[in-house]
Amino acid sequence: MPHVRRSAVAGTWYPDDPKRLVAELEAHLARVDVAPGATPRALVAPHAGLMYSGPVGAYAYKAARSARPSAIVLVGPSHFVPFEGVSIWPDGAWETPLGPIQVDQEFASRIKEASDAIVEMPSAHGREHSLEMQLPFLAHVLPGVPIVPMVMGRQTSATSFALSDAIARAVVASGREVLLIASSDLSHYENASVAARLDGVVLARVAAMDAHGLMDAVEREPRHACGGGPMVAVLDAAKQLGASGAHVLNYADSGDVSGDKSSVVGYMAAAIW
């Protein structure tokens, strides 16, 4: 039987009807303007429900429309299953309302072989939304491109940089064009002014391509982001692969949609070239 990861939040966090989903994605993309520039090597995108984080995530995926990668590496946090290391989904496909997205088995194997920190733990993917929330945009904007899905357990410095090294080595060894995506929301359930202060630290470190500074910040204050480790891994891997600049494309919080600024979640879209 094919090794298929079934959707966990389709129909709740985003529409499970393909026509409704495409209409919602296109509406978000139509509202954003991203200046033409170099094709990004990596992205940072949020992972809340589409109505909340979609207006921000659309900036990242509009920037990626010029990309022609042969594979996409997705790294997000594990919200529900605590474990050491990084869990990779090694083969098969991930279900979406727009059709299955294939897993690049050969490239996943390369990454897994590059570090003992990378393991197979299917349970870490079962309820997890951090990667799934990237799939609607990916299926629509970059259809047919296979993925390598990974979720990070304890977001330690050792794990984050072990993953960045593994990704960079695998990409170099393959000689392929690969798009890296870190999935992360920022601060959670602070008032908007506190959120902006906390989130500003992350935005500054990403814009500076300062993976070590970002790791220090999230280790000192975990409230900065739920996916600090994945962002560190993707930033550092992109830098090892020759990226020389980053740009924060958009920042907002959930209160911009809900109208409630007393308890918000922060969202960022960034592109690394």
Side-chain angles (χ1 to χ4, degrees):
M1 292 291 290
H3 190 205
V4 177
R5 191 272 186 183
R6 301 296 179 188
S7 299
V9 293
T12 53
W13 289 44
Y14 61 92
D16 56 3
D17 175 79
K19 289 183 179 179
R20 282 187 56 219
L21 178 57
V22 168
E24 196 165 321
L25 294 169
E26 277 297 315
H28 288 314
L29 290 163
R31 293 187 189 105
V32 308
D33 185 27
V34 176
T39 299
R41 294 174 180 264
L43 303 171
V44 179
H47 56 233
L50 190 60
M51 70 176 290
Y52 291 103
S53 68
V56 176
Y59 281 84
Y61 287 103
K62 195 152 194 177
R65 273 189 152 166
S66 63
R68 295 294 180 268
S70 65
I72 297 165
V73 171
L74 292 169
V75 187
S78 174
H79 287 91
F80 303 110
V81 179
F83 65 98
E84 298 292 334
V86 178
S87 174
I88 193 166
W89 190 279
D91 54 28
W94 280 43
E95 179 183 64
T96 85
L98 303 181
I101 299 180
Q102 299 300 311
V103 174
D104 192 316
Q105 183 174 349
E106 185 273 334
F107 194 60
S109 179
R110 280 185 184 269
I111 294 175
K112 184 174 184 292
E113 290 170 0
S115 175
D116 291 339
I118 302 172
V119 299
E120 292 181 33
M121 186 181 291
S123 61
H125 296 271
R127 295 173 56 202
E128 183 53 56
H129 58 272
S130 64
L131 302 186
E132 182 174 339
M133 289 310 300
Q134 308 310 320
L135 301 187
F137 274 117
L138 286 176
H140 184 56
V141 173
L142 296 171
V145 182
I147 59 175
V148 178
M150 293 181 283
V151 292
M152 188 178 293
R154 286 189 62 233
Q155 297 178 36
T156 65
S157 178
T159 295
S160 301
F161 288 105
L163 179 58
S164 69
D165 290 346
I167 293 170
R169 287 200 299 272
V171 172
V172 170
S174 71
R176 296 168 62 179
E177 288 294 323
V178 178
L179 177 64
L180 313 180
I181 300 177
S183 174
S184 183
D185 292 338
L186 303 184
S187 62
H188 285 56
Y189 312 127
E190 309 287 349
N191 69 57
S193 61
V194 173
R197 176 176 58 79
L198 290 168
D199 298 346
V201 173
V202 178
L203 270 61
R205 297 279 62 79
V206 170
M209 289 191 66
D210 182 4
H212 289 275
L214 178 57
M215 191 78 247
D216 290 344
V218 297
E219 285 187 321
R220 286 195 308 270
E221 178 50 88
R223 289 188 301 162
H224 281 305
C226 62
M231 284 193 286
V232 167
V234 163
L235 271 178
D236 191 62
K239 194 168 187 177
Q240 290 187 52
L241 293 168
S244 58
H247 183 58
V248 174
L249 302 170
N250 190 247
Y251 168 75
D253 64 55
S254 58
D256 294 320
V257 174
S258 70
D260 180 4
K261 290 286 189 173
S262 67
S263 179
V264 305
V265 178
Y267 309 127
M268 169 180 61
I272 297 99
W273 290 279

